[in-house]
Amino acid sequence: MKNPRSALCKTSIMACADIFRSFGRLLLSSSIKEEAAFDNLLLQLLLKASQDKRFVCEEAEKALQTMAVSLPPLPLLEKLKSYVNHTNLRVRAKAAVAISKCVSRMEVEVMKEFGLATLLQVAAEPLNDRLPEAREASRASYTQSICTLTSLDLLAHLQQRVVGRWRSNLAAVRSQVQSGAKSKKNKHNNKQDSEGKLIAELLGRLFDDMHTDDLRAVGEQQSSLLRELRKVKPELEEKLTSHNKRRGRCNSLYKMAFFAVLAALWRWRRRRRQRGP
C-alpha cells in the first residue's frame, strides 16, 4: 500500500477490502503484533482516502466502508477514536465517517460497554471541523445514538455532558486566573458552542417524543441538574470577580509604569538639551 505506483496501491487496497469482508471477525484479536499491524493498516487507509489521486481515494473509501461494516464495532471504535484529533483534517473527516458507520451498527449494550459519555465525547470532536463531511458525520453519530438508546438513558448522559461543560468552563477560568491570562474565544470554545447547540436540539427531540410518566422522571433529572448548576454558579462568579479585580490592578500598574517611563525619558531629554551639544 505504500508503493509509489498507484495501480499497485489500488490493487492492495482492494485486497484489504476482500480481507475485511471475509475475515473481519478474526482480525481484531488480542495479539499485540496483530493489533500493531492493524493500526498501521488503518492509518494507511485513512491517508490513502485523504489523498488527491481520485481512483486510489475512492478505493480507500470503499475499503473503509467495508471495514466499518464487517469488523466488530466496539474494538474498531476504540481504534478510530484516536484519529478524530489527527493533524490532517481529511484524515479526521474520514475517521468521523467511519465512526458514524460503527455507531449505526452498535446496540445499547455495546454502547454502554464502550461508555455513553465517551461515545458522545468522541462524536462531539468533529462538530466544529473545517470540512462539512466531518461535521455531518458527527451529527449523524448523535442522531444514530438517539435512534438506538432509550430516551431516559440518552437524556441522562446529555445532562452529564452539560454539567461537564460547565465544570470544564470553570476549570478554564481557574487556570486563567492562576496564570493571569486574558480570556479569548478559541477553537475549544467554538467546539463547545457547537456541541451545546446540538445538545439543545437533541433534548428538544427527546421531549417531543415523551409521555407524561417519562416527563415526570425527566423533571426529577432536571431538578438534579439545576442543583448541580447552582453549586457551580457561585464559585464561577467568585472566580470571575476576582479575575476582573486582578485584571484591573494589572492595568493600573501597567499605566503607572508606562507614564513613569515617559516621565523619565522626558527628564533625560531635557537634561541633554540643557547640556548642549
Side-chain angles (χ1 to χ4, degrees), residues 7-23:
L8 184 58
C9 181
K10 178 182 176 180
T11 306
S12 65
I13 293 173
M14 294 171 66
C16 286
D18 292 336
I19 292 174
F20 292 149
R21 195 175 295 109
S22 302
F23 306 103

Side-chain angles (χ1 to χ4, degrees), residues 194-213:
S194 302
E195 184 183 359
K197 292 178 182 177
L198 185 55
I199 288 176
E201 179 183 345
L202 296 181
L203 288 175
R205 292 185 190 178
L206 290 174
F207 286 131
D208 290 339
D209 297 334
M210 285 184 177
H211 302 289
T212 306
D213 296 335

Side-chain angles (χ1 to χ4, degrees), residues 6 30 51 90 102 155 170 179 195 211 237 250 275:
S6 300
S30 59
Q51 69 177 16
R90 291 185 178 180
C102 285
L155 181 62
L170 179 59
S179 61
E195 184 183 359
H211 302 289
E237 291 179 346
C250 291
R275 293 176 184 176

Side-chain angles (χ1 to χ4, degrees), residues 257-269:
F258 177 74
F259 287 120
V261 170
L262 285 180
L265 182 61
W266 180 78
R267 287 194 298 268
W268 175 77
R269 293 187 63 181

Side-chain angles (χ1 to χ4, degrees), residues 252-262:
S252 301
L253 290 175
Y254 291 152
K255 290 179 182 178
M256 292 173 60
F258 177 74
F259 287 120
V261 170
L262 285 180

Side-chain angles (χ1 to χ4, degrees), residues 59-150:
E59 288 299 330
E61 289 179 354
K62 292 179 182 178
L64 287 172
Q65 291 178 4
T66 305
M67 177 190 67
V69 172
S70 304
L71 270 66
L74 182 59
L76 182 58
L77 193 58
E78 292 285 350
K79 300 289 185 182
L80 286 170
K81 69 179 183 179
S82 60
Y83 293 101
V84 294
N85 293 320
H86 198 271
T87 54
N88 190 334
L89 56 92
R90 291 185 178 180
V91 171
R92 294 199 301 266
K94 302 303 178 183
V97 173
I99 288 173
S100 175
K101 293 185 179 298
C102 285
V103 173
S104 65
R105 298 176 53 229
M106 296 174 73
E107 298 179 354
V108 179
E109 291 76 12
V110 181
M111 286 185 177
K112 290 182 179 180
E113 185 179 355
F114 181 77
L116 296 179
T118 306
L119 180 61
L120 293 176
Q121 183 177 2
V122 170
E125 289 294 336
L127 273 176
N128 201 43
D129 204 271
R130 290 166 57 187
L131 289 180
E133 184 180 8
R135 298 194 296 268
E136 292 174 2
S138 179
R139 293 181 64 88
S141 299
Y142 269 99
T143 306
Q144 288 153 3
S145 300
I146 290 178
C147 296
T148 306
L149 295 172
T150 60

